Amino acid sequence: MENIEIINLWKQYDEKLEKSLSLNQKIIAELQQQKAKNALKPARNYKYVAVFVGVIYSALIAWFLYQLTTVASFFFMNISIGIHLIITIIATLMYARQLVLINQIDCSDNIVQMQQKMASLQNSTLKVIGVCFLQLPVFATWNISFELIFNRPWAFWLIQVPIVAIFTYVGIWFYKNIKIENINKRWFRMMFWGSEWKSILKSAQFLKEIETFEKA
Amino acid sequence: MPQSKEDFLSIIDANKRIIFKICNSYCKNADDREDLAQEVIFQLWRSWSSFNANYKLSTWMYRITLNVAISFYRKERKTTETVLMGDHVIEIADEQIEESLETNLNALQQFINELKPLDKALMILYLEEKPQKEIAEIMGITSTNVATKIGRIKEQLKQKFNNQE
């Protein structure tokens, strides 16, 4: 079949539709009344909740940290909680930025631009997870004290320090490796197996598809 | 230019075939298709007040319809809140068509269905005989890129029909 025949086939389809399609004005009138229907609404609501929880949780940690700062013996605990607070604030800000991006999405943008924004938005959730892993070492440092370092140095150097080192290595490793390039690795698939992750992973793959599409 | 509800309705009426064809190309399931058609019309309505009359109406319409369709196609759970369950925003009457036309149309639809979402958009615009420049504006790629990609898709399509014969 030649190109012109294919175009004609599509035209015939169009003519057939011209005769058989009619608008249901009642539904259109209902749609014109709606204000809240939006494909992005669930994603937006989820991020509002994440930002809200993040702000409350950060405030609680900050309050707790403030109460502890006066006690010198909690020096390492303070540092650990401080790092935890900073990373929680960064993650909350990343979610807040996603909300700004959602509000900037305009369906009348060109297709590559709009789809890129949508897919990047979903993909950035993976980045937030990566950032959260950076706080892993603080779960092994909060119990360190000067008493442990000076009175039981063997326990500090032989047990505590290696544990902190392992946690730091694992945290940085996850931060660097939670990215779409590793989608086919077994550990990645085991970690992100639920249906909620499936759409995020699909969007990341779609970003690659857009990149290829943009190239001639 | 004031953009009233009535203007909107007549524009949707004049372009209902575009909406139907795009929804049909991105959704195989009839319920999903209805959800998508309603989502498209709702998004068109939302953007209607900000439509700039200096731009081409068809470019605006294709951009929104295709963007909503591609986003919908990529969604895991497709169900959205639909108004008036059971009714269809675009009704289609039973129409008798020739057997050969139906066979070819099915083959063409099947080919379009198998394309990746962005290639599918490109193919629809090509079949709608949109000028290359407008396709480039809708898609957000260069005219040269449009020509190259359409050439490739056409070649695949030709082969498919030749194999069928």
Side-chain angles (χ1 to χ4, degrees):
Chain A
M1 192 179 264
E2 289 307 312
N3 289 333
I4 188 76
E5 291 175 280
I6 293 164
I7 299 270
N8 282 338
L9 182 63
W10 192 255
K11 273 186 187 161
Q12 281 174 287
Y13 173 45
D14 196 66
E15 282 160 18
K16 181 182 92 92
L17 290 178
E18 175 66 39
K19 288 180 207 154
S20 56
L21 290 185
S22 60
L23 272 189
N24 185 328
Q25 300 205 0
K26 199 175 162 193
I27 295 185
I28 302 216
E30 289 274 341
L31 289 172
Q32 286 177 319
Q33 295 303 318
Q34 282 194 27
K35 287 187 176 67
K37 186 184 161 90
N38 187 340
L40 284 169
K41 210 177 138 198
R44 186 177 302 175
N45 290 347
Y46 165 72
K47 290 190 199 314
Y48 272 123
V49 171
V51 171
F52 178 74
V53 171
V55 169
I56 300 287
Y57 185 59
S58 302
L60 280 173
I61 308 170
W63 177 81
F64 187 56
L65 186 62
Y66 175 74
Q67 300 298 319
L68 283 178
T69 41
T70 47
V71 189
S73 60
F74 289 141
F75 177 74
F76 288 100
M77 188 187 267
N78 290 348
I79 290 181
S80 306
I81 295 172
I83 293 171
H84 181 52
L85 176 64
I86 291 168
I87 290 171
T88 307
I89 291 172
I90 292 173
T92 309
L93 287 174
M94 284 171 88
Y95 272 119
R97 191 176 163 268
Q98 289 182 0
L99 270 175
V100 173
L101 285 177
I102 288 179
N103 289 324
Q104 282 173 352
I105 282 178
D106 179 1
C107 288
S108 61
D109 275 345
N110 71 55
I111 289 160
V112 165
Q113 199 179 353
M114 194 259 184
Q115 294 303 323
Q116 219 157 21
K117 275 187 199 167
M118 292 277 286
S120 317
L121 192 68
Q122 284 177 301
N123 196 24
S124 66
T125 305
L126 272 185
K127 287 187 188 136
V128 179
I129 304 296
V131 166
C132 288
F133 264 101
L134 279 178
Q135 60 190 316
L136 203 60
V138 305
F139 294 101
T141 53
W142 66 273
N143 60 332
I144 299 175
S145 61
F146 289 115
E147 189 265 335
L148 174 74
I149 298 171
F150 297 118
N151 298 344
R152 286 176 292 154
W154 59 271
F156 175 70
W157 291 107
L158 296 178
I159 300 170
Q160 195 76 41
V161 170
I163 290 174
V164 174
I166 290 169
F167 273 47
T168 308
Y169 176 79
V170 172
I172 294 173
W173 190 87
F174 274 115
Y175 170 71
K176 286 170 97 174
N177 285 287
I178 294 181
K179 57 183 178 187
I180 205 55
E181 284 79 1
N182 291 327
I183 191 168
N184 292 320
K185 304 241 168 96
R186 201 162 160 235
W187 64 267
F188 196 94
R189 293 196 168 271
M190 279 169 73
M191 216 170 147
F192 303 103
W193 58 273
S195 60
E196 68 271 29
W197 291 108
K198 221 171 162 184
S199 63
I200 291 171
L201 299 182
K202 267 188 166 182
S203 74
Q205 280 175 316
F206 189 56
L207 264 178
K208 277 189 175 175
E209 220 173 288
I210 298 172
E211 256 176 54
T212 320
F213 184 82
E214 278 186 292
K215 292 174 197 155
Chain B
M1 188 181 84
Q3 283 138 3
S4 69
K5 279 187 178 184
E6 290 70 31
D7 291 337
F8 178 74
L9 198 63
S10 59
I11 279 171
I12 295 295
D13 195 39
N15 293 285
K16 58 182 180 286
R17 283 168 296 157
I18 293 175
I19 300 172
F20 183 87
K21 280 184 279 187
I22 292 176
C23 293
N24 209 23
S25 301
Y26 280 89
C27 286
K28 286 182 205 156
N29 177 295
D31 290 337
D32 287 345
R33 208 152 50 221
E34 177 57 24
D35 284 348
L36 174 57
Q38 289 198 16
E39 182 71 32
V40 165
I41 293 173
F42 178 75
Q43 293 298 340
L44 286 166
W45 172 240
R46 269 184 56 158
S47 299
W48 179 235
S49 55
S50 55
F51 170 66
N52 185 342
N54 294 325
Y55 290 104
K56 220 173 163 183
L57 183 79
S58 66
T59 305
W60 171 81
M61 185 129 206
Y62 276 110
R63 275 184 175 185
I64 295 178
T65 310
L66 286 167
N67 266 327
V68 176
I70 294 170
S71 305
F72 190 87
Y73 174 84
R74 292 181 44 239
K75 257 199 319 191
E76 274 301 301
R77 280 171 62 240
K78 302 214 186 287
T79 321
T80 55
E81 294 161 39
T82 313
V83 295
L84 300 177
M85 291 279 285
D87 285 344
H88 298 287
V89 66
I90 301 175
E91 313 270 8
I92 182 159
D94 280 336
E95 183 92 5
Q96 289 293 321
I97 53 169
E98 291 168 42
E99 207 183 309
S100 62
L101 173 65
E102 197 175 359
T103 314
N104 283 335
L105 263 179
N106 286 341
L108 181 60
Q109 284 288 6
Q110 201 197 327
F111 173 77
I112 295 172
N113 278 336
E114 285 164 8
L115 290 171
K116 287 179 177 170
L118 296 171
D119 287 339
K120 201 180 280 196
L122 208 54
M123 185 64 192
I124 293 170
L125 294 167
Y126 164 73
L127 290 170
E128 290 286 317
E129 294 186 283
K130 291 281 135 199
Q132 235 167 59
K133 194 172 166 262
E134 194 180 347
I135 297 181
E137 272 172 30
I138 295 168
M139 298 299 300
I141 52 176
T142 61
S143 293
T144 327
N145 203 349
V146 168
T148 317
K149 286 185 187 305
I150 287 180
R152 276 187 215 141
I153 300 173
K154 271 189 331 197
E155 205 46 52
Q156 289 173 33
L157 180 61
K158 234 167 126 179
Q159 270 176 14
K160 188 175 170 83
F161 273 106
N162 289 343
N163 291 343
Q164 202 190 5
E165 279 164 12

